[in-house]
Amino acid sequence: MSYSGGGVMTPSKDSEGTPSRSKDREDAALAARGDVRAFARLYSGHSARIFNLARRMTTSESAVDITQDIFLRAWEKLGTFRGEAAFGTWLHRLAVNVILARRAALRVEKVRFRENDGALDSFPAKAGSWDLSMDFERAIEVLPEGAKLVFVLYDVEGYQHEEIAGMLGISSGTSKAQLHRARMILRRHLTR
Amino acid sequence: MHDAWMNRLSEYLDEELDPEEHKALEEHLGVCPECASILAELRQVRARGRDLEDAPPPASLWTRIEAGIVPRRTIPFPEGAIAPKRAAESGPGRDRRLSFSVPQLIAACLAVALVSGGAVFGLLRSSGPPLGPLARAPVSGVMDRPGAPRTAPAGEREAAPLVPAEPASSRAPAANTLSESPHEEAIAELRKALARERDRLDPATIRTLESNLAIIDLAIDQAKRALAADPANTYVKEHLADTMRRKVELLQRATMLASASSAEGSR
């Protein structure tokens, strides 16, 4: 996962002007004209990142359905992709929008809504097991909703606070506070 | 145990503090081992988040996506024409399990196939003298690969139309030269919706549905071949559009029937 660090981050994993980006642009143009094989190549290159974004921002159970929706939406909207940004960046932003919309629907249905800093108290502590990625993934999953979103978007995906604030309809200061909250909760689990 | 700087540690870590605050916190860290310790742990948490590995999605996911997409058309579907269905997809009802019964599916889909096939038969008949096998041959050959035999089911050619064809003069002119495209888009949307609900359908129901949709597509294809044989024929265009519209309407009815059946079954 690429990451420039130091608060100067980009959510894109595509390098400007790389053959990969150029190929993506070609495939996007072909797919926009109805070429399913080109779209399959785009899927192959980007599905893992999108699937994991969906999984981390929602739940493992709903990630498959949401990823499907994202790629179907991308297929419908390919005509709006102008190639000015990397395809991965365009797709990632579309994915975040779809995920947030889906989360809003889930919230209406009062499914899995948490705002409890003690959520990790019920999570089985495994001292010294942080080398296991799955444990960390599970710890993220049970974070309070606001903290989880900001943590995933900032620390995992590399968005900046201003961008996150725009996506979530919160202030930049709130985004920073939620990030600190998430890290402090995860830190507590780390040290138990 | 807790000081004002503790809440700023993440901002310090991410270099989000202004220079004065950054310097002040740095000095504080020199005299506060607790904050220094927490900062080290926050750094670990941040690093762990950045280094997460992406797990591959299930292998079956592409199949599901592919089933939901169709070749793109050049003429967009009119805005709002399928809005009710889209709203239903994203609303609370989306999670309702569809319970198509096989007889219902067969009845609805075969009705569509008959209407589609019948409309083709009707338009072929009404656009000239009665067509025998030889007269139909050029129509079939237009879009076929050279040498490929035409294998349309006999039922497509021989089924009588359930709805009598209206004369061209009684209808509004076609909006564009591909008047069937909006219906194709709607059909694609319906197919997409069904693809999304695949997991909620019984496998036998899915097989029946796909089988009958294939029959319907053959009937539509026959109509398209007729249009390809005579692209300037407005009457043929309108017949094709009508046939596809009927397919959309009947698929929508089939969906409503399924919803009613689902609601009935849940009682």
Side-chain angles (χ1 to χ4, degrees), chain B residues 53-118:
Chain B
E53 295 291 330
D54 285 343
S60 61
L61 181 54
W62 169 250
T63 306
R64 290 174 52 174
I65 292 168
E66 190 176 25
I69 63 178
V70 292
R72 192 169 303 281
R73 301 298 173 192
T74 54
I75 297 177
F77 193 75
E79 280 296 320
I82 54 174
K85 188 197 71 58
R86 282 187 170 154
E89 282 175 28
S90 59
R94 175 163 162 56
D95 289 336
R96 181 175 52 206
R97 182 182 177 84
L98 295 178
S99 59
F100 289 82
S101 73
V102 172
Q104 285 171 339
L105 282 171
I106 291 173
C109 294
L110 287 182
V112 175
L114 287 171
V115 169
S116 301

Side-chain angles (χ1 to χ4, degrees), chain B residues 18-91:
Chain B
D18 64 45
E20 287 182 5
E21 288 177 316
H22 187 92
K23 185 180 176 189
L25 206 158
E26 205 159 53
E27 289 172 357
H28 173 74
L29 289 171
V31 297
C32 180
E34 185 184 6
C35 278
S37 172
I38 292 173
L39 178 65
E41 291 164 355
L42 293 179
R43 187 173 275 115
Q44 283 185 55
V45 170
R46 186 180 72 168
R48 178 64 74 177
R50 291 176 175 181
D51 293 339
L52 283 176
E53 295 291 330
D54 285 343
S60 61
L61 181 54
W62 169 250
T63 306
R64 290 174 52 174
I65 292 168
E66 190 176 25
I69 63 178
V70 292
R72 192 169 303 281
R73 301 298 173 192
T74 54
I75 297 177
F77 193 75
E79 280 296 320
I82 54 174
K85 188 197 71 58
R86 282 187 170 154
E89 282 175 28
S90 59

Side-chain angles (χ1 to χ4, degrees), chain B residues 3 15 17 59 70 105 123 153 156 182 220 233 240 250:
Chain B
D3 59 53
E15 299 181 7
L17 295 174
V70 292
L105 282 171
L123 70 87
E156 283 183 42
I220 296 294
N233 190 323
L240 177 55
L250 283 172

